[in-house]
């Protein structure tokens, strides 16, 4: 658990409100005042800009009070390791006295601007005194905004000290994060969105005496994490995935579970099934797609299906009460109970039970007819026409037989023509009776 220390303004000579803000974190948190002997702690101070205008700063001085009073922090000012982790800053002075330990930090260039990025100072090996109370370290910043002159301004940090053992140890933190790829580079920011099919590396901070298990996607029991393991490669990811790290620790002899989660978005996600609830009270209810849609199997909708792009269905049937589309392409079966509207329709077979109405041109014949034998039989897979022609024949009979009817014609003035409609799946036979001459049979299929 991280605690931000509360701050109060100084009553020193410079009473103007400091333009910089300060947050303090201690380990342990809160500080412990051990009545039998001084305890050791670490302190981190983060300096940030509290406003929207860059702050010019030439020095920051931290005074840690030394003494035995409740308002003092340290039993002794010796043995403290102070450093600054922000580039461009350095510790320029350290003084230890009977009442305070002073640490001075300055920009390497003499003056620096603090805008979006904070400045961080660390202090390790602090010897906390045995007096329970609240300590008030003093921070003096020499700062200004704009063209104002640099002025020293004071601020106090409020650090409570509680009796040792009065607070329970916090549950182990995880700092859970996810990086794109199997070997993330140093300094790489965590991922919030990855391409479809990517692998990711899930990372967490180690902690002693805990049991951890990582859950993600549809796992029932999760993946058990070995002791000391700090990362796991997962994937490939096909849809939005939430990673949940379960940490089990002991508190007063009882197991306590903590759960930390991290969600990663995936471009072009795949889902085994998508169900849209019926929205009868919404005027725009239904599924509306404004980009090309590809369906590898079956698409069934209970509400109107409308899209302005291209729908490509290469597997099972399309079943919907209403379809509106720019272009529809499919090799399966389309079952429309109501109205089907499309600027373009490409299909191997179209069957209607309520008629087909079009405001534009409808091409239903195969562009190239098939020449049939002089006589024979066949079952055709689509509806179509058998066309028979006779030429230079005195008395020739042309005939085509279907389950529904036998079609016949005779030559007149030595020529004759016969057209017989055929339904898909019906056996058809054809031939001629009479003397020879020129004649032919051709098959014209409806559809492709």
């Amino acid at each position: 658990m991280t605690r931000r220390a509360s701050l109060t303004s100084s009553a020193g000579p410079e009473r103007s409100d400091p333009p910089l803000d300060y947050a303090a974190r201690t380990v342990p948190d809160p500080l412990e005042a051990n009545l039998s002997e001084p305890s050791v702690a670490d302190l981190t101070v983060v300096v940030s800009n509290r406003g929207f205008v860059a702050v010019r700063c030439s020095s920051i001085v931290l005074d840690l009070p030394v003494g035995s009073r409740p308002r003092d922090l340290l039993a002794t000012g010796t043995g403290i390791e102070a450093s600054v982790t922000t580039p461009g800053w350095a510790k320029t002075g350290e003084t230890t006295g009977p009442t305070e330990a002073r640490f001075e930090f300055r920009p390497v260039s003499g003056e620096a601007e603090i805008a979006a990025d904070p400045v961080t100072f660390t202090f390790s090996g602090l010897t906390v005194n045995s007096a329970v109370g609240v300590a008030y370290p003093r921070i003096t910043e020499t700062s200004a905004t704009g063209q104002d002159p640099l002025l020293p301004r004071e601020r106090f940090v409020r650090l409570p000290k509680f009796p040792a053992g009065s607070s329970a140890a916090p549950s182990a933190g995880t700092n859970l994060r996810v990086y794109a790829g199997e070997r993330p580079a140093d300094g790489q920011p965590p991922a919030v969105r990855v391409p479809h099919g990517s692998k990711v590396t899930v990372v967490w901070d180690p902690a002693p005496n805990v049991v951890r298990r990582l859950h993600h996607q549809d796992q029932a029991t999760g993946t058990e994490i070995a002791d000391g393991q700090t990362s796991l490669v997962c994937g490939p990811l096909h849809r939005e995935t939430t990673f949940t790290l379960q940490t089990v620790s002991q508190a007063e002899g009882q197991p306590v579970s903590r759960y930390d989660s991290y969600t990663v978005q995936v471009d072009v996600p795949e889902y085994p099934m998508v169900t849209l609830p019926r929205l009868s009270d919404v005027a725009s209810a239904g599924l509306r797609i404004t980009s090309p849609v590809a369906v590898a199997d079956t698409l069934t909708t209970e509400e109107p299906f409308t899209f302005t792009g291209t729908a490509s269905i290469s597997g099972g049937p399309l079943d919907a009460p209403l379809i509106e589309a720019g272009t529809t392409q499919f090799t399966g079966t389309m079952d429309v109970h109501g109205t089907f509207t499309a600027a373009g329709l490409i299909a191997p077979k179209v069957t209607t039970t309520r008629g087909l109405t079009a405001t534009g041109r409808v091409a239903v014949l195969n562009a190239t007819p098939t020449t049939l034998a002089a006589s024979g039989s066949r079952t055709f897979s689509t509806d179509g026409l058998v066309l028979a022609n006779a030429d230079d024949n005195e008395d020739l009979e042309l005939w085509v037989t279907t389950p529904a009817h036998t079609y016949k014609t005779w030559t007149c003035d030595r020529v004759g023509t016969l057209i017989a409609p055929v339904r898909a799946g019906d056996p058809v036979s054809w031939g001629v009776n009479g003397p020879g001459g020129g004649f032919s049979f051709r098959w014209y299929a409806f559809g492709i």
Side-chain angles (χ1 to χ4, degrees):
M1 178 178 179
T2 298
R3 186 190 306 272
R4 284 178 59 103
S6 60
L7 307 177
T8 58
S9 296
S10 168
E14 299 297 338
R15 299 181 179 274
S16 60
D17 197 19
L20 297 177
D21 203 359
Y22 298 83
R25 182 183 68 179
T26 62
V27 178
D29 182 15
L31 293 173
E32 295 183 350
N34 194 328
L35 300 180
S36 60
E37 60 181 354
S39 59
V40 179
D42 296 333
L43 171 66
T44 300
V45 177
V46 178
V47 184
S48 61
N49 189 331
R50 65 188 306 178
F52 300 97
V53 179
V55 176
R56 296 162 36 231
C57 184
S58 62
S59 73
I60 294 177
V61 178
L62 177 64
D63 292 312
L64 304 178
V66 177
S68 58
R69 300 173 302 173
R71 66 174 292 111
D72 296 326
L73 176 63
L74 305 176
T76 175
T78 61
I80 300 174
E81 294 290 337
S83 63
V84 56
T85 61
T86 304
W89 284 75
K91 185 181 74 171
T92 57
E94 177 178 342
T95 305
T96 301
T99 60
E100 66 180 14
R102 166 169 291 198
F103 302 91
E104 184 176 8
F105 303 90
R106 292 181 179 273
V108 176
S109 61
E111 181 180 309
E113 282 193 348
I114 300 177
D117 297 328
V119 181
T120 303
F121 307 106
T122 61
F123 305 86
S124 60
L126 278 68
T127 303
V128 181
N129 67 17
S130 301
V132 175
V134 180
Y136 291 92
R138 181 178 61 230
I139 298 177
T140 304
E141 66 179 65
T142 303
S143 61
T145 58
Q147 300 301 318
D148 294 340
L150 293 168
L151 295 175
R153 298 176 172 87
E154 290 183 352
R155 183 174 276 254
F156 288 89
V157 181
R158 186 177 184 273
L159 295 179
K161 298 175 295 178
F162 286 81
S166 62
S167 60
S171 57
T174 63
N175 193 23
L176 183 67
R177 62 267 193 204
V178 178
Y179 297 96
E182 299 183 53
R183 286 179 290 273
D186 292 340
Q188 176 179 334
V192 295
R193 186 174 182 175
V194 297
H196 177 270
S198 297
K199 289 188 176 183
V200 297
T201 301
V202 185
V203 182
W204 55 87
D205 289 349
N209 304 319
V210 298
V211 177
R212 281 178 168 161
R213 189 176 293 272
L214 181 65
H215 303 264
H216 68 101
Q217 289 194 355
D218 302 323
Q219 293 179 328
T221 59
T223 302
E224 187 172 349
I225 304 302
D227 188 28
Q229 183 179 354
T230 60
S231 65
L232 183 68
V233 176
C234 300
L237 303 186
H238 299 291
R239 57 186 178 273
E240 176 184 297
T241 303
T242 297
F243 298 91
T244 300
L245 187 63
Q246 178 186 8
T247 301
V248 182
S249 57
Q250 293 288 327
E252 299 181 354
Q254 299 295 324
V256 177
S257 290
R258 165 183 174 144
Y259 297 89
D260 296 271
S261 296
Y262 192 105
T263 300
V264 178
Q265 302 286 336
V266 176
D267 291 334
V268 195
E270 292 181 12
Y271 294 95
M273 183 177 71
V274 176
T275 301
L276 299 180
R278 184 185 298 274
L279 302 175
S280 57
D281 57 338
V282 180
S284 60
L287 176 62
R288 297 187 178 273
I289 302 175
T290 57
S291 59
V293 97
V295 180
D297 199 345
T298 301
L299 177 63
T300 303
T301 68
E302 296 181 2
E303 297 290 342
F305 183 49
T306 302
F307 56 97
T308 59
T310 298
S312 176
I313 301 173
S314 57
L318 169 63
D319 187 347
L322 174 64
I323 298 177
E324 297 180 1
T327 302
T328 303
Q329 305 177 21
F330 61 95
T331 57
T333 302
M334 184 187 318
D335 184 6
V336 184
H337 309 293
T339 303
F340 173 56
T341 304
L345 172 63
I346 303 174
K349 178 182 177 181
V350 177
T351 302
T352 67
T353 58
R354 298 184 182 180
L356 177 65
T357 302
T359 57
R361 177 177 178 271
V362 178
V364 296
L365 287 179
N366 195 323
T368 304
T370 302
T371 300
L372 303 177
S375 62
S377 62
R378 184 172 173 182
T379 299
F380 296 100
S381 60
T382 67
D383 294 350
L385 300 173
V386 173
L387 174 63
N389 285 303
D391 184 30
D392 195 19
N393 283 276
E394 285 291 345
D395 187 14
L396 186 66
E397 179 186 24
L398 304 169
W399 57 270
V400 176
T401 299
T402 70
H405 190 72
T406 296
Y407 302 89
K408 295 182 179 180
T409 191
W410 289 264
T411 57
C412 180
D413 295 332
R414 304 181 67 83
V415 297
T417 299
L418 173 66
I419 300 177
V422 176
R423 294 194 306 181
D426 286 349
V428 180
S429 59
W430 64 90
V432 297
N433 296 320
F439 64 90
S440 62
F441 289 87
R442 290 184 174 85
W443 165 249
Y444 288 85
F446 290 171
I448 299 174

